[in-house]
Amino acid sequence: MSGITLTNVTKVYQEGEFSTTALENFSLNVANGEFIAIIGPSGSGKSTFLSIAGALLKATEGQVLIDDIDIATLSEKELSKVRLSKIGFILQTSNLLPYLSVLDQLLIVKKMGGSIKPADREFAKELLTEIGLGEKLHKYPHQLSGGERQRTAIARSFMNNPSIILADEPTANLDTKRAHEVVSLIAKEVKARNKAAVMVTHDERMLSYCDRVYRIEDGILTEEA
């Protein structure tokens, strides 16, 4: 089974004699082509979930499979490779590099993994054209609107053809119209490219784009009816 599966994941933060349980027996499976949302208040465990799903943080207990690979068994070097090749991140802010053009924002992802081939350049152009930025390839971040910057970040997250897309509050800095554009675009690309995607959000207006919705409170996950 491809995609991502978390089984009975618990994460406990220990500070001296005090411990805080951020996630408790957290189980979730997201298959290829599925777009799910996780909602919940601040401090509910959403960020911890994203860090564990993104191979940035190890669970205290439980299992995390990414494309059937148990990431707990991987070395730091192997985890770094998984993050680069199997996971696409979309953050609250677009995190674009100010000195790179829109096209180069995508190509730098390939450069991090080795070298840029002509096929990579074509794929980047295809992604950007698909999301409506075909005319903006050589523009810089300061020449783009907030929505265009976030769309660039979406295209960048697909650049390495990852298995999983993790979106952290992708509409946080956008007005309603732009927010709908961005989330509908993520949903469309997830379906078209058969990725497993999870969006963590406070924005309940965006949930209609998702196949399933989960709520997390005090580290406990429940599926919304």
Side-chain angles (χ1 to χ4, degrees):
M1 183 192 301
S2 297
I4 183 166
T5 303
L6 287 81
T7 307
N8 298 327
V9 168
T10 294
K11 179 62 183 177
V12 179
Y13 292 103
Q14 195 79 36
E15 283 187 44
E17 57 192 75
F18 299 102
S19 64
T20 305
T21 301
L23 294 181
E24 190 171 352
N25 288 327
F26 187 111
S27 293
L28 177 68
N29 175 59
V30 188
N32 288 346
E34 274 194 308
F35 182 31
I36 74 145
I38 296 179
I39 55 175
S42 296
S44 59
K46 299 193 303 296
S47 295
T48 298
F49 156 73
L50 278 176
S51 296
I52 289 174
L56 296 163
L57 186 67
K58 289 198 172 178
T60 308
E61 292 175 23
Q63 185 184 58
V64 182
L65 298 178
I66 293 176
D67 273 357
D68 301 327
I69 299 165
D70 182 348
I71 64 172
T73 65
L74 302 181
S75 67
E76 218 29 75
K77 189 176 179 183
E78 289 168 329
L79 279 173
S80 179
K81 193 173 176 186
V82 163
R83 285 192 291 271
L84 186 62
S85 64
K86 295 210 172 274
I87 303 167
F89 294 95
I90 305 169
L91 306 175
Q92 292 181 31
T93 53
S94 56
N95 278 14
L96 302 182
L97 295 164
Y99 50 84
L100 290 183
S101 69
V102 166
L103 181 59
D104 286 338
Q105 303 285 343
L106 274 63
L107 293 178
I108 197 171
V109 174
K110 282 295 179 187
K111 198 165 188 180
M112 287 164 66
S115 59
I116 300 168
K117 301 179 178 66
D120 298 331
R121 196 172 289 277
E122 288 311 307
F123 183 56
K125 287 178 182 175
E126 176 194 318
L127 277 172
L128 290 164
T129 301
E130 210 166 86
I131 64 169
L133 291 173
E135 304 293 311
K136 308 269 182 175
L137 300 183
H138 304 295
K139 299 287 185 189
Y140 288 85
H142 72 275
Q143 297 172 301
L144 304 176
S145 68
E148 287 169 342
R149 286 195 290 271
Q150 200 61 324
R151 279 193 272 158
T152 304
I154 292 168
R156 182 180 58 191
S157 75
F158 285 90
M159 185 62 201
N160 261 349
N161 200 21
S163 308
I164 296 148
I165 301 292
L166 298 175
D168 181 9
E169 301 279 3
T171 62
N173 301 313
L174 301 175
D175 61 39
T176 301
K177 181 172 182 284
R178 300 284 179 269
H180 278 286
E181 283 176 6
V182 159
V183 179
S184 67
L185 192 56
I186 295 171
K188 177 177 159 243
E189 289 295 322
V190 163
K191 300 295 179 193
R193 298 185 180 277
N194 201 34
K195 307 301 179 190
V198 183
M199 174 176 67
V200 162
T201 185
H202 281 101
D203 195 343
E204 302 205 9
R205 299 168 302 176
M206 300 300 128
L207 301 182
S208 60
Y209 296 101
C210 300
D211 298 307
R212 286 179 282 139
V213 177
Y214 291 83
R215 186 174 294 276
I216 186 170
E217 287 193 43
D218 299 322
I220 296 169
L221 189 73
T222 51
E223 187 169 357
E224 296 277 272

